[in-house]
Amino acid sequence: MAELPMSTHLFARLLSRVHAVCGALIEEGALPAGIDLSRIVVEPPKDASHGDMATNAAMVLAKDAKAKPRDLADKIADKLSAEELIDQVAIAGPGFINLTLKPAVWAEALRAVLDAGTGYGRSTIGGGEKVNVEYVSANPTGPMHVGHCRGAVFGDALANLLDTAGFAVTREYYINDAGAQVDVLARSAFLRYREALGEAIGEIPEGLYPGDYLKPVGEALKAEHGAALKELPEARWLPTVRAKAIAMMMEAIKGDLAALNITHEVFFSERSLIEGGHNRVAETIEFLRAKGDVYQGRLPPPKGAPVEDYEDREQTLFRATAYGDDVDRPLLKSDGSYTYFASDIAYHKVKFDAGFANMVDVWGADHGGYIKRMQAAIQAVTAGKGALDVKIVQLVRLLRNGEPVKMSKRAGDFVTLREVVDEVGSDAVRFMMLFRKNDAVLDFDLAKVIEQSKDNPVFYVQYGHARGHSIFRNAREVVPDLPEDSKERAAMLRQAPLERLNDPAELELLKRLALYPRIVEAAAQAHEPHRIAFYLNELASEFHALWTHGRDLPHLRFIINNDAEITRARLAMVQGVVSVLASGLAILGVTAPDEMR
């Protein structure tokens, strides 16, 4: 049998019991020895009326067992019915097994939340495996715009999520400081340098960066070099100006990221691949050539749409088609310089050689056509031992009350990330950038994301956390010894008679809390942090709805003045909600306020 990851949450416990039942059937000869149990899942049924959990065990094992799914389901269900956690077992359709758990299970699940606090949901499924998440990697040619913002938030939340799931995560930024665009940056900065020296530069020429953000670079160059650079030919001043401009742009980018509470452990320079006496790009090409994956050849003319890097000449090509790509890919340009692709292969080989067999790249919407060639290259340079998952982050449409937002004067042709964060705050930006799947276009309305209403998810979720703390403050009249410290409060409340939480709405809330660790694991395995945002919104919605029920039905209020015991039990439930909301918000990089101001 496949070994289960170490995990103690309720769904993992039920999965282990299903595995144990299948193990018993193997011993009895009803299932063949060595049968693969890894495809078995235990998950919530699509229809809640069918029970608390469902398993596909009979469906996925029937073929190997040479049995009808329904007949195998009968055998599995018969043994599961004897399990202490399970109240009822029912077979549905062609062989799905639905499970209804005993009511006491949910009280124990709440105690598990109270014991773990904000650590509830942490998992060991990553097993400490190293994973490199490369995100943002905006060209250092200007301030970050709102499109970069989405990739930055997504990558950072994904890194947090993988860390929570037990992976050893390195957050990396790849500085594109070796291409033609940084020479354009240098020429643009040199123009601002001349302006700082008192020249009238007139309108910014076509092809240079027009934004005012390069004026400080010009001033810095003047302060450092006086008028000396002006007397030099371009070949002499360009490296100096380029280095200064890149350094200042990267400082600005790091400042923009800091405004979103984003930091990277590694900033990797593309230029370092070929400078410093160690040309890793050349080494990588020769490594692939020795394997037979690089050859001299001529590509056929592209059929249909033009290919951006096609040249009708004999050239150095990577045999990408041997690894699933559509065409072989050039590694050298006609002037002998490396293609971006060649540098990217070398860069990812550096990652793999550093121990990162598991790599995630977060790219913008315009890079989708680049995925197949990079995954082909990863297969080649790692001998199939490395994996690259590319997450495409789609465009952001910036609106204000439904109308498109005008461009920034400072940036020249876009709205900067800092302008958005300064207007609506980091929390609203981060949550709403994650409240839609990364590969779907996102409408970000500056007016709506700061509304204090249930239609604004970030407010609704944060208000859920604050409401919980408001309940604790109000409860001290009935439970005067209720600690202010969350750990002490949880330790006290776990002794409450949690079995009294038996109203259907209360049980649904407990079930939602019990689901959280499985959501974390599934989101981490799929590289989809938006699942956490969706879950938190659902949890907050159920919590607010239960609070509203108490206003309409006094016996369901969280605080019952003449019944301290049910009050303690409901406070335990509130503590569970507060802990899970805080945990999920931390993954998203959003604060969990005790009060809404």
Side-chain angles (χ1 to χ4, degrees), residues 352 356-359 375 378-379 381-388:
F352 180 76
F356 293 104
N358 189 349
M359 296 170 264
Q375 290 181 332
I378 294 295
Q379 289 298 301
V381 296
T382 70
K385 297 176 182 176
L388 171 66

Short mmCIF file of all heavy atoms in Angstrom, two decimals, residues 352 356-359 375 378-379 381-388:
data_model
loop_
_atom_site.label_atom_id
_atom_site.label_comp_id
_atom_site.label_asym_id
_atom_site.label_seq_id
_atom_site.Cartn_x
_atom_site.Cartn_y
_atom_site.Cartn_z
N PHE A 352 18.20 24.05 -10.70
CA PHE A 352 18.19 22.59 -10.51
C PHE A 352 19.48 22.12 -9.85
O PHE A 352 19.45 21.29 -8.93
CB PHE A 352 17.99 21.88 -11.86
CG PHE A 352 17.98 20.39 -11.75
CD1 PHE A 352 16.87 19.71 -11.26
CD2 PHE A 352 19.09 19.64 -12.14
CE1 PHE A 352 16.86 18.33 -11.15
CE2 PHE A 352 19.10 18.26 -12.04
CZ PHE A 352 17.98 17.60 -11.54
N PHE A 356 16.92 22.39 -6.54
CA PHE A 356 15.49 22.65 -6.75
C PHE A 356 14.98 21.83 -7.94
O PHE A 356 14.96 22.30 -9.07
CB PHE A 356 15.24 24.14 -7.00
CG PHE A 356 15.53 25.00 -5.81
CD1 PHE A 356 16.68 25.78 -5.76
CD2 PHE A 356 14.66 25.04 -4.73
CE1 PHE A 356 16.97 26.57 -4.67
CE2 PHE A 356 14.93 25.83 -3.62
CZ PHE A 356 16.09 26.60 -3.59
N ALA A 357 14.55 20.61 -7.66
CA ALA A 357 13.92 19.81 -8.70
C ALA A 357 12.49 20.28 -8.94
O ALA A 357 11.91 20.04 -9.99
CB ALA A 357 13.91 18.33 -8.31
N ASN A 358 11.92 20.96 -7.95
CA ASN A 358 10.55 21.46 -8.01
C ASN A 358 10.60 22.97 -8.18
O ASN A 358 11.03 23.69 -7.27
CB ASN A 358 9.82 21.07 -6.71
CG ASN A 358 8.34 21.35 -6.76
OD1 ASN A 358 7.86 22.00 -7.68
ND2 ASN A 358 7.61 20.87 -5.77
N MET A 359 10.19 23.45 -9.36
CA MET A 359 10.28 24.88 -9.67
C MET A 359 8.91 25.41 -10.10
O MET A 359 8.20 24.74 -10.85
CB MET A 359 11.29 25.13 -10.79
CG MET A 359 12.72 24.78 -10.43
SD MET A 359 13.85 24.83 -11.87
CE MET A 359 13.85 23.09 -12.35
N GLN A 375 9.41 24.07 -20.58
CA GLN A 375 9.23 22.76 -19.97
C GLN A 375 10.02 21.70 -20.72
O GLN A 375 10.55 20.76 -20.11
CB GLN A 375 7.74 22.42 -19.89
CG GLN A 375 7.00 23.30 -18.88
CD GLN A 375 5.53 22.99 -18.77
OE1 GLN A 375 4.91 22.52 -19.73
NE2 GLN A 375 4.95 23.24 -17.61
N ILE A 378 13.58 22.12 -19.47
CA ILE A 378 13.75 21.56 -18.12
C ILE A 378 13.93 20.05 -18.19
O ILE A 378 14.79 19.47 -17.50
CB ILE A 378 12.54 21.91 -17.23
CG1 ILE A 378 12.47 23.42 -16.98
CG2 ILE A 378 12.60 21.15 -15.91
CD1 ILE A 378 13.62 23.99 -16.21
N GLN A 379 13.13 19.40 -19.03
CA GLN A 379 13.27 17.95 -19.19
C GLN A 379 14.67 17.60 -19.68
O GLN A 379 15.28 16.64 -19.22
CB GLN A 379 12.22 17.43 -20.18
CG GLN A 379 10.79 17.45 -19.64
CD GLN A 379 10.64 16.56 -18.42
OE1 GLN A 379 10.89 15.36 -18.46
NE2 GLN A 379 10.25 17.16 -17.30
N VAL A 381 17.64 19.47 -19.49
CA VAL A 381 18.79 19.78 -18.62
C VAL A 381 18.74 19.04 -17.29
O VAL A 381 19.76 18.96 -16.59
CB VAL A 381 18.92 21.30 -18.35
CG1 VAL A 381 19.21 22.05 -19.63
CG2 VAL A 381 17.71 21.85 -17.63
N THR A 382 17.59 18.44 -16.94
CA THR A 382 17.50 17.71 -15.67
C THR A 382 17.35 16.21 -15.87
O THR A 382 17.14 15.49 -14.91
CB THR A 382 16.30 18.22 -14.83
OG1 THR A 382 15.07 17.82 -15.45
CG2 THR A 382 16.32 19.73 -14.67
N ALA A 383 17.45 15.75 -17.12
CA ALA A 383 17.26 14.33 -17.43
C ALA A 383 15.92 13.83 -16.89
O ALA A 383 15.80 12.70 -16.40
CB ALA A 383 18.41 13.49 -16.86
N GLY A 384 14.91 14.70 -16.97
CA GLY A 384 13.57 14.32 -16.54
C GLY A 384 13.36 14.34 -15.04
O GLY A 384 12.27 13.99 -14.56
N LYS A 385 14.37 14.77 -14.27
CA LYS A 385 14.26 14.75 -12.81
C LYS A 385 13.68 16.05 -12.25
O LYS A 385 13.32 16.12 -11.08
CB LYS A 385 15.62 14.50 -12.18
CG LYS A 385 16.21 13.13 -12.53
CD LYS A 385 17.61 12.98 -11.96
CE LYS A 385 18.21 11.63 -12.36
NZ LYS A 385 19.62 11.50 -11.90
N GLY A 386 13.62 17.08 -13.08
CA GLY A 386 13.10 18.36 -12.62
C GLY A 386 11.72 18.63 -13.17
O GLY A 386 11.33 18.09 -14.21
N ALA A 387 10.95 19.44 -12.46
CA ALA A 387 9.59 19.79 -12.91
C ALA A 387 9.42 21.30 -12.81
O ALA A 387 9.80 21.92 -11.81
CB ALA A 387 8.55 19.09 -12.05
N LEU A 388 8.85 21.88 -13.85
CA LEU A 388 8.56 23.32 -13.88
C LEU A 388 7.06 23.50 -14.07
O LEU A 388 6.50 23.04 -15.06
CB LEU A 388 9.31 24.01 -15.01
CG LEU A 388 8.93 25.47 -15.28
CD1 LEU A 388 9.32 26.35 -14.09
CD2 LEU A 388 9.57 25.99 -16.57
#
